[in-house]
Amino acid sequence: MVEGKDLIGDEWTLAIFTAAIHRGGVGMWAWAPEARLARLDGLCMAFWGTTEPVVSIDALFAKVNAEDRPKMILDWFASATSPKAYSFDFRIGEDPDVRWISARGIGGDEGRVGAWIQAIFLDITDRKRAEEAERLMTLELAHRVSNMFTVARALTNIVAREAESTASFAEDLSRRFHVLHEATTLATRSHGLEQGDVRLRDLAARILSPYLQGANIAVDIEDAAVAAPDRVDD
């Protein structure tokens, strides 16, 4: 303790501590297994969408996302007897207004005060949304990389059938990849500069340019046909 600093006075009131905890997304609650009741502080009441500080746990269970409810109930009741620290996550409500909650505490007699087992609820909605966004981005990246490899294999096979030498194979393959890169750049530059959608005719002409020499290929696409930039490489 710093000399001359006593932990007393208005700056150390329970209300101020509670407000600080609430700002961190942490709510305090307790439940009575025998009475099947839960006691909620103000933040927990907001989590559950209730104006009552003491509610039936069955009423709370009914608000839990249907997919999470069975396991959540098992974990909840396990905390009544297990003396170990616990943490289980679940959703309240349904998309798009779902709220992610993590229940944490010490179960059994260690966490009990009289008839009540005390614990906290932690709002982890932002973290879960960030994890979901990261998961979707990873899936999208995997999808696009897979598409790139498919295109690479197809181009390699086409060039290999037509190549007369190793040098011509390497040169032709490099040129075709460069053209494909130019087409992708055309779309992404249009998006980045907010110039609107890119015309399919321009994309097709750029992509097909390596195949036009000596081939009877005509590009006939209406000017009104466009591809949104974020769909070009799907």
Side-chain angles (χ1 to χ4, degrees):
M1 182 184 299
V2 179
E3 184 177 354
K5 294 289 187 179
D6 296 329
L7 301 183
I8 59 175
D10 293 342
E11 68 272 23
W12 288 99
T13 64
L14 178 60
I16 290 177
F17 272 121
T18 301
I21 292 171
H22 284 178
R23 285 194 295 270
V26 179
M28 292 168 284
W29 64 289
W31 72 290
E34 292 77 13
R36 297 182 71 86
L37 294 175
R39 178 180 292 165
L40 311 174
D41 72 359
L43 185 59
C44 289
M45 290 164 60
F47 289 167
W48 290 97
T50 180
T51 58
E52 300 295 328
V54 179
V55 295
S56 162
I57 61 172
D58 297 295
L60 299 184
F61 293 161
K63 295 176 179 285
V64 175
N65 185 280
E67 293 182 1
D68 300 343
R69 191 179 301 137
K71 183 177 184 305
M72 178 267 198
I73 292 177
L74 290 175
D75 291 337
W76 183 304
F77 278 104
S79 71
T81 56
S82 176
K84 300 179 181 179
Y86 63 84
S87 174
F88 56 90
D89 303 341
F90 58 92
R91 289 167 291 177
I92 298 175
E94 306 291 336
D95 290 333
D97 300 320
V98 69
R99 185 193 297 270
W100 275 97
I101 297 295
S102 182
R104 302 180 184 182
I106 301 293
D109 292 338
E110 292 295 321
R112 184 184 289 265
V113 177
W116 299 88
I117 298 175
Q118 298 181 324
I120 64 170
F121 283 137
L122 177 62
D123 187 345
I124 57 172
T125 303
D126 289 344
R127 191 195 82 195
K128 287 291 187 178
R129 286 176 177 169
E131 290 175 353
E132 177 63 12
E134 182 178 1
R135 185 186 71 84
L136 292 176
M137 184 165 43
T138 300
L139 290 175
E140 177 66 14
L141 178 60
H143 168 67
R144 297 191 180 213
V145 169
S146 176
N147 284 350
M148 290 173 60
F149 279 118
T150 299
V151 171
R153 285 194 300 268
L155 283 179
T156 302
N157 290 334
I158 291 173
V159 175
R161 288 197 300 267
E162 301 173 354
E164 298 179 355
S165 67
T166 301
S168 65
F169 170 80
E171 181 181 355
D172 193 12
L173 184 62
S174 177
R175 181 168 57 91
R176 298 193 192 210
F177 275 131
H178 179 69
V179 168
L180 187 61
H181 176 259
E182 283 184 335
T184 303
T185 300
L186 175 66
T188 55
R189 184 174 65 245
S190 174
H191 180 64
L193 297 178
E194 298 182 354
Q195 296 177 351
D197 297 334
V198 62
R199 294 192 307 174
L200 282 179
R201 173 187 291 179
D202 295 336
L203 280 177
R206 190 69 60 90
I207 293 172
L208 293 173
S209 59
Y211 311 94
L212 298 179
Q213 186 175 3
N216 184 22
I217 300 176
V219 178
D220 184 15
I221 303 176
E222 295 182 0
D223 288 343
V226 296
D230 60 353
R231 300 295 298 177
V232 170
D233 55 354
D234 281 1

